[in-house]
Protein backbone atom coordinates (compact mmCIF):
# COMPACT_ATOMS: atom_id res chain seq x y z
CA UNK A 1 0.00 0.00 0.00
CA UNK A 2 1.36 3.41 -1.01
CA UNK A 3 0.17 6.86 0.08
CA UNK A 4 0.90 9.39 -2.64
CA UNK A 5 -0.59 12.26 -4.63
CA UNK A 6 -3.01 11.90 -7.53
CA UNK A 7 -0.49 12.41 -10.35
CA UNK A 8 1.96 9.86 -8.97
CA UNK A 9 -0.88 7.39 -8.44
CA UNK A 10 -2.00 7.73 -12.07
CA UNK A 11 1.59 7.19 -13.28
CA UNK A 12 1.99 4.06 -11.17
CA UNK A 13 -1.34 2.71 -12.41
CA UNK A 14 -0.45 3.29 -16.07
CA UNK A 15 2.90 1.53 -15.57
CA UNK A 16 1.19 -1.46 -13.90
CA UNK A 17 3.10 -0.84 -10.69
CA UNK A 18 -0.11 -1.01 -8.66
CA UNK A 19 -3.46 -2.79 -8.97
CA UNK A 20 -5.66 0.26 -8.46
CA UNK A 21 -6.02 3.67 -6.89
CA UNK A 22 -8.26 4.41 -3.90
CA UNK A 23 -9.08 8.09 -3.61
CA UNK A 24 -9.93 8.91 -0.01
CA UNK A 25 -12.93 11.19 0.13
CA UNK A 26 -16.37 11.12 1.74
CA UNK A 27 -17.15 8.05 -0.35
CA UNK A 28 -13.89 6.29 -1.35
CA UNK A 29 -13.42 6.04 -5.11
CA UNK A 30 -11.62 3.09 -6.72
CA UNK A 31 -9.86 3.50 -10.09
CA UNK A 32 -8.53 0.45 -11.93
CA UNK A 33 -6.88 -0.09 -15.30
CA UNK A 34 -8.19 -3.58 -16.11
CA UNK A 35 -10.42 -6.30 -14.66
CA UNK A 36 -8.97 -9.16 -12.66
CA UNK A 37 -9.03 -11.02 -9.35
CA UNK A 38 -6.86 -8.49 -7.50
CA UNK A 39 -8.87 -5.57 -8.88
CA UNK A 40 -12.13 -7.20 -7.81
CA UNK A 41 -10.80 -7.84 -4.31
CA UNK A 42 -9.63 -4.22 -4.00
CA UNK A 43 -13.04 -2.90 -5.07
CA UNK A 44 -15.04 -5.21 -2.81
CA UNK A 45 -12.83 -4.59 0.23
CA UNK A 46 -13.01 -0.83 -0.27
CA UNK A 47 -16.80 -0.96 -0.56
CA UNK A 48 -17.01 -3.09 2.59
CA UNK A 49 -14.80 -0.67 4.54
CA UNK A 50 -16.84 2.32 3.34
CA UNK A 51 -20.10 0.62 4.29
CA UNK A 52 -18.81 -0.36 7.74
CA UNK A 53 -17.41 3.13 8.30
CA UNK A 54 -20.76 4.69 7.49
CA UNK A 55 -22.52 2.40 9.95
CA UNK A 56 -19.99 3.29 12.66
CA UNK A 57 -20.53 7.01 12.04
CA UNK A 58 -24.30 6.65 12.36
CA UNK A 59 -23.95 4.48 15.45
CA UNK A 60 -21.56 6.89 17.20
CA UNK A 61 -23.71 9.90 16.29
CA UNK A 62 -26.88 8.25 17.63
CA UNK A 63 -25.16 7.20 20.85
CA UNK A 64 -23.76 10.68 21.33
CA UNK A 65 -27.25 12.17 20.99
CA UNK A 66 -28.57 9.67 23.51
CA UNK A 67 -25.89 10.57 26.01
CA UNK A 68 -24.10 7.24 25.59
CA UNK A 69 -21.07 8.61 23.75
CA UNK A 70 -19.57 10.67 26.55
CA UNK A 71 -16.19 9.00 26.10
CA UNK A 72 -15.86 10.65 22.68
CA UNK A 73 -15.23 14.33 23.40
CA UNK A 74 -14.71 15.33 19.79
CA UNK A 75 -16.10 13.15 17.03
CA UNK A 76 -13.78 14.51 14.31
CA UNK A 77 -10.70 13.98 16.48
CA UNK A 78 -11.89 10.44 17.19
CA UNK A 79 -12.20 9.66 13.46
CA UNK A 80 -8.78 11.17 12.73
CA UNK A 81 -7.19 9.10 15.48
CA UNK A 82 -8.75 5.89 14.14
CA UNK A 83 -7.58 6.69 10.60
CA UNK A 84 -4.05 7.43 11.85
CA UNK A 85 -3.92 4.15 13.76
CA UNK A 86 -5.19 2.27 10.70
CA UNK A 87 -2.48 3.82 8.52
CA UNK A 88 0.19 2.83 11.02
CA UNK A 89 -1.07 -0.75 10.97
CA UNK A 90 -1.09 -0.82 7.15
CA UNK A 91 2.44 0.60 6.88
CA UNK A 92 3.74 -1.83 9.50
CA UNK A 93 2.21 -4.85 7.78
CA UNK A 94 3.02 -6.56 4.50
CA UNK A 95 -0.33 -7.76 3.15
CA UNK A 96 -0.19 -10.54 0.57
CA UNK A 97 -2.79 -12.55 -1.33
CA UNK A 98 -1.84 -16.18 -1.76
CA UNK A 99 -3.35 -18.13 -4.65
CA UNK A 100 -4.06 -21.64 -3.31
CA UNK A 101 -6.24 -22.75 -6.21
CA UNK A 102 -5.28 -25.65 -8.41
CA UNK A 103 -2.43 -24.87 -10.81
CA UNK A 104 -4.09 -27.06 -13.43
CA UNK A 105 -7.39 -25.19 -13.26
CA UNK A 106 -9.27 -25.50 -16.52
CA UNK A 107 -12.93 -25.19 -17.35
CA UNK A 108 -12.57 -28.11 -19.76
CA UNK A 109 -12.29 -30.35 -16.68
CA UNK A 110 -16.04 -29.94 -16.22
CA UNK A 111 -16.55 -31.66 -19.58
CA UNK A 112 -14.59 -34.69 -18.37
CA UNK A 113 -16.60 -34.70 -15.15
CA UNK A 114 -19.83 -34.76 -17.15
CA UNK A 115 -18.40 -37.64 -19.18
CA UNK A 116 -17.99 -39.65 -15.97
CA UNK A 117 -21.49 -38.59 -14.92
CA UNK A 118 -22.91 -39.82 -18.24
CA UNK A 119 -21.15 -43.18 -17.83
CA UNK A 120 -22.64 -43.52 -14.33
CA UNK A 121 -26.16 -42.66 -15.52
CA UNK A 122 -25.91 -44.92 -18.57
CA UNK A 123 -25.87 -47.80 -16.09
CA UNK A 124 -29.62 -47.19 -16.04
CA UNK A 125 -29.81 -49.05 -19.37
CA UNK A 126 -28.40 -52.18 -17.75
CA UNK A 127 -30.64 -52.03 -14.70
CA UNK A 128 -33.71 -51.35 -16.85
CA UNK A 129 -33.03 -54.45 -18.98
CA UNK A 130 -32.30 -56.51 -15.89
CA UNK A 131 -35.60 -55.55 -14.25
CA UNK A 132 -37.58 -56.06 -17.49
CA UNK A 133 -36.22 -59.60 -17.65
CA UNK A 134 -37.90 -60.51 -14.33
CA UNK A 135 -41.23 -58.78 -15.02
CA UNK A 136 -43.88 -61.15 -16.35
CA UNK A 137 -45.60 -58.45 -18.39
CA UNK A 138 -42.43 -57.43 -20.22
CA UNK A 139 -40.88 -60.57 -21.68
CA UNK A 140 -41.23 -64.32 -22.13
CA UNK A 141 -38.29 -64.82 -19.84
CA UNK A 142 -40.09 -62.75 -17.23
CA UNK A 143 -43.09 -65.08 -17.43
CA UNK A 144 -40.89 -68.10 -16.81
CA UNK A 145 -39.11 -66.36 -13.95
CA UNK A 146 -42.40 -65.28 -12.38
CA UNK A 147 -43.58 -68.88 -11.94
CA UNK A 148 -40.31 -69.99 -10.37
CA UNK A 149 -40.21 -70.65 -6.59
CA UNK A 150 -37.60 -67.91 -6.08
CA UNK A 151 -39.06 -64.88 -4.26
CA UNK A 152 -39.66 -61.89 -6.48
CA UNK A 153 -37.60 -59.56 -4.28
CA UNK A 154 -34.59 -61.86 -4.59
CA UNK A 155 -34.86 -61.89 -8.40
CA UNK A 156 -35.11 -58.12 -8.57
CA UNK A 157 -32.28 -57.58 -6.09
CA UNK A 158 -29.84 -59.97 -7.78
CA UNK A 159 -30.62 -58.55 -11.23
CA UNK A 160 -30.12 -54.99 -9.99
CA UNK A 161 -26.83 -55.85 -8.26
CA UNK A 162 -25.51 -57.57 -11.38
CA UNK A 163 -26.25 -54.50 -13.50
CA UNK A 164 -24.68 -52.27 -10.82
CA UNK A 165 -21.44 -54.25 -10.86
CA UNK A 166 -21.34 -54.16 -14.67
CA UNK A 167 -21.88 -50.39 -14.57
CA UNK A 168 -19.02 -49.94 -12.08
CA UNK A 169 -16.69 -51.91 -14.37
CA UNK A 170 -17.54 -49.58 -17.24
CA UNK A 171 -16.95 -46.47 -15.12
CA UNK A 172 -13.63 -47.89 -13.89
CA UNK A 173 -12.47 -48.53 -17.47
CA UNK A 174 -13.40 -44.96 -18.40
CA UNK A 175 -11.39 -43.63 -15.46
CA UNK A 176 -8.36 -45.68 -16.48
CA UNK A 177 -8.58 -44.45 -20.07
CA UNK A 178 -8.93 -40.77 -19.19
CA UNK A 179 -6.19 -40.92 -16.55
CA UNK A 180 -3.52 -42.96 -18.36
CA UNK A 181 -4.28 -42.15 -22.01
CA UNK A 182 -5.79 -38.65 -21.95
CA UNK A 183 -3.76 -37.61 -18.87
CA UNK A 184 -6.77 -36.12 -17.07
CA UNK A 185 -6.02 -35.01 -13.50
CA UNK A 186 -8.88 -35.77 -11.10
CA UNK A 187 -7.02 -34.54 -8.03
CA UNK A 188 -5.55 -36.41 -5.08
CA UNK A 189 -8.69 -37.43 -3.15
CA UNK A 190 -8.85 -40.92 -4.65
CA UNK A 191 -11.02 -42.51 -1.89
CA UNK A 192 -13.63 -39.76 -2.20
CA UNK A 193 -13.54 -40.02 -6.00
CA UNK A 194 -14.33 -43.73 -5.66
CA UNK A 195 -17.14 -43.02 -3.19
CA UNK A 196 -18.65 -40.42 -5.52
CA UNK A 197 -18.44 -42.84 -8.46
CA UNK A 198 -20.22 -45.52 -6.42
CA UNK A 199 -22.97 -43.06 -5.52
CA UNK A 200 -23.22 -41.86 -9.13
CA UNK A 201 -23.59 -45.41 -10.42
CA UNK A 202 -26.22 -46.04 -7.74
CA UNK A 203 -28.14 -43.04 -9.08
CA UNK A 204 -27.97 -44.55 -12.57
CA UNK A 205 -29.16 -47.89 -11.19
CA UNK A 206 -32.11 -46.22 -9.44
CA UNK A 207 -33.15 -44.41 -12.63
CA UNK A 208 -33.18 -47.66 -14.60
CA UNK A 209 -35.13 -49.53 -11.92
CA UNK A 210 -37.65 -46.69 -11.64
CA UNK A 211 -38.19 -46.43 -15.40
CA UNK A 212 -38.55 -50.22 -15.74
CA UNK A 213 -41.05 -50.54 -12.90
CA UNK A 214 -43.10 -47.35 -13.30
CA UNK A 215 -43.43 -47.01 -17.09
CA UNK A 216 -45.75 -49.56 -18.72
CA UNK A 217 -44.19 -49.42 -22.17
CA UNK A 218 -41.87 -51.36 -24.44
CA UNK A 219 -38.11 -51.38 -24.07
CA UNK A 220 -37.50 -48.83 -26.85
CA UNK A 221 -39.65 -46.18 -25.17
CA UNK A 222 -38.02 -46.83 -21.81
CA UNK A 223 -34.58 -46.52 -23.42
CA UNK A 224 -35.67 -43.18 -24.89
CA UNK A 225 -36.71 -41.93 -21.46
CA UNK A 226 -33.37 -42.93 -19.95
CA UNK A 227 -31.46 -41.28 -22.80
CA UNK A 228 -33.47 -38.09 -22.34
CA UNK A 229 -32.73 -38.02 -18.61
CA UNK A 230 -29.02 -38.84 -19.00
CA UNK A 231 -28.18 -36.60 -21.96
CA UNK A 232 -30.44 -33.79 -20.75
CA UNK A 233 -28.86 -33.88 -17.32
CA UNK A 234 -25.33 -33.87 -18.78
CA UNK A 235 -26.23 -30.98 -21.08
CA UNK A 236 -27.43 -28.82 -18.19
CA UNK A 237 -24.35 -29.73 -16.13
CA UNK A 238 -21.92 -28.48 -18.80
CA UNK A 239 -21.08 -31.33 -21.20
CA UNK A 240 -21.83 -29.37 -24.40
CA UNK A 241 -20.46 -26.10 -23.01
CA UNK A 242 -19.30 -25.18 -19.51
CA UNK A 243 -21.22 -21.90 -19.64
CA UNK A 244 -24.49 -23.84 -19.54
CA UNK A 245 -23.74 -25.06 -16.01
CA UNK A 246 -23.09 -21.48 -14.93
CA UNK A 247 -26.28 -20.22 -16.58
CA UNK A 248 -28.42 -22.89 -14.91
CA UNK A 249 -26.72 -22.34 -11.53
CA UNK A 250 -27.49 -18.61 -11.67
CA UNK A 251 -30.84 -18.51 -13.49
CA UNK A 252 -32.54 -21.77 -12.42
CA UNK A 253 -30.51 -23.32 -9.56
CA UNK A 254 -33.29 -25.71 -8.54
CA UNK A 255 -32.84 -27.59 -11.83
CA UNK A 256 -29.25 -28.52 -11.03
CA UNK A 257 -30.19 -29.32 -7.43
CA UNK A 258 -32.35 -32.22 -8.68
CA UNK A 259 -30.14 -33.11 -11.66
CA UNK A 260 -28.13 -36.28 -10.84
CA UNK A 261 -25.59 -35.53 -13.58
CA UNK A 262 -24.89 -32.14 -12.02
CA UNK A 263 -24.59 -33.70 -8.55
CA UNK A 264 -21.83 -35.99 -9.86
CA UNK A 265 -20.13 -33.25 -11.90
CA UNK A 266 -20.28 -30.77 -9.04
CA UNK A 267 -18.89 -33.37 -6.63
CA UNK A 268 -15.79 -33.90 -8.79
CA UNK A 269 -15.52 -30.15 -9.30
CA UNK A 270 -15.56 -29.47 -5.55
CA UNK A 271 -12.90 -32.14 -4.89
CA UNK A 272 -10.60 -30.65 -7.52
CA UNK A 273 -10.97 -26.94 -6.78
CA UNK A 274 -11.86 -26.54 -3.08
CA UNK A 275 -9.97 -27.33 0.09
CA UNK A 276 -13.08 -27.89 2.21
CA UNK A 277 -15.41 -30.86 1.65
CA UNK A 278 -18.73 -29.23 2.56
CA UNK A 279 -19.86 -28.90 -1.04
CA UNK A 280 -18.72 -32.45 -1.86
CA UNK A 281 -20.68 -33.96 1.03
CA UNK A 282 -23.76 -31.98 0.02
CA UNK A 283 -23.54 -33.41 -3.52
CA UNK A 284 -22.95 -36.92 -2.16
CA UNK A 285 -25.92 -36.68 0.19
CA UNK A 286 -28.08 -35.34 -2.65
CA UNK A 287 -27.14 -38.32 -4.83
CA UNK A 288 -27.96 -40.82 -2.09
CA UNK A 289 -31.27 -39.08 -1.36
CA UNK A 290 -32.14 -39.03 -5.07
CA UNK A 291 -31.35 -42.75 -5.38
CA UNK A 292 -33.26 -43.61 -2.21
CA UNK A 293 -36.42 -41.82 -3.35
CA UNK A 294 -36.44 -43.56 -6.75
CA UNK A 295 -35.71 -47.00 -5.31
CA UNK A 296 -38.42 -46.60 -2.68
CA UNK A 297 -40.95 -45.57 -5.34
CA UNK A 298 -39.91 -48.53 -7.49
CA UNK A 299 -40.32 -51.00 -4.62
CA UNK A 300 -43.81 -49.66 -3.89
CA UNK A 301 -44.82 -50.11 -7.55
CA UNK A 302 -43.31 -53.59 -7.89
CA UNK A 303 -44.99 -54.83 -4.71
CA UNK A 304 -48.42 -53.87 -6.03
CA UNK A 305 -48.00 -55.70 -9.34
CA UNK A 306 -50.20 -58.81 -9.56
CA UNK A 307 -50.95 -61.06 -12.53
CA UNK A 308 -54.22 -62.94 -12.96
CA UNK A 309 -52.65 -65.18 -15.59
CA UNK A 310 -49.29 -65.66 -17.22
Amino acid sequence: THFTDEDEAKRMLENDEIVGVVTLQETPKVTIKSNGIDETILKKVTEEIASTSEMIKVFVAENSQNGQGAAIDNYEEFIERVVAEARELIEASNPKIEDISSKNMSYTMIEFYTLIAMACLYGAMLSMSAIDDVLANMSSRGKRVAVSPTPKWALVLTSALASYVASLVGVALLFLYTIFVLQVDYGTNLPLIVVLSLAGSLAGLSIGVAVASIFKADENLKSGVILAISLGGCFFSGMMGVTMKYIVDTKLPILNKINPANMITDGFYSLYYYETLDRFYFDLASLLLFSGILLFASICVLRRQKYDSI
Side-chain angles (χ1 to χ4, degrees), residues 88-249:
E88 290 178 3
L89 288 173
I90 292 174
E91 292 172 350
S93 66
N94 185 23
K96 292 182 179 179
I97 298 175
E98 182 182 359
D99 183 6
I100 61 173
S101 59
S102 173
K103 302 305 179 186
N104 299 319
M105 183 179 291
S106 171
Y107 286 115
T108 58
M109 289 297 298
I110 293 179
E111 296 182 357
F112 285 107
Y113 298 153
T114 56
L115 182 64
I116 299 297
M118 184 174 68
C120 291
L121 297 185
Y122 268 15
M125 291 289 190
L126 297 174
S127 59
M128 180 204 69
S129 298
I131 299 302
D132 277 352
D133 282 343
V134 298
L135 296 179
N137 61 336
M138 291 304 302
S139 65
S140 300
R141 183 174 184 272
K143 293 181 177 65
R144 294 192 296 271
V145 169
V147 297
S148 68
T150 307
K152 188 175 182 180
W153 66 265
L155 293 172
V156 172
L157 179 61
T158 53
S159 298
L161 287 177
S163 63
Y164 183 59
V165 172
S167 176
L168 289 178
V169 172
V171 173
L173 291 175
L174 180 58
F175 265 117
L176 293 175
Y177 176 75
T178 54
I179 291 173
F180 294 105
V181 179
L182 301 182
Q183 302 295 313
V184 176
D185 181 12
Y186 290 99
T188 57
N189 291 309
L190 182 59
L192 294 181
I193 291 173
V194 172
V195 170
L196 184 61
S197 301
L198 292 173
S201 296
L202 180 62
L205 167 76
S206 65
I207 292 173
V209 173
V211 170
S213 58
I214 296 174
F215 286 85
K216 308 303 180 185
D218 60 25
E219 187 173 349
N220 291 331
L221 181 58
K222 292 181 179 180
S223 298
V225 172
I226 291 175
L227 282 174
I229 295 173
S230 303
L231 290 179
C234 291
F235 169 74
F236 287 119
S237 60
M239 171 168 274
M240 289 74 174
V242 294
T243 54
M244 179 54 65
K245 174 177 169 59
Y246 173 76
I247 292 172
V248 175
D249 281 339

Side-chain angles (χ1 to χ4, degrees), residues 16-37:
D16 295 324
E17 298 178 19
I18 54 177
V19 171
V21 176
V22 179
T23 305
L24 300 178
Q25 50 192 26
E26 185 174 353
T27 301
K29 176 185 176 184
V30 179
T31 304
I32 59 176
K33 183 179 178 182
S34 60
N35 294 322
I37 295 177

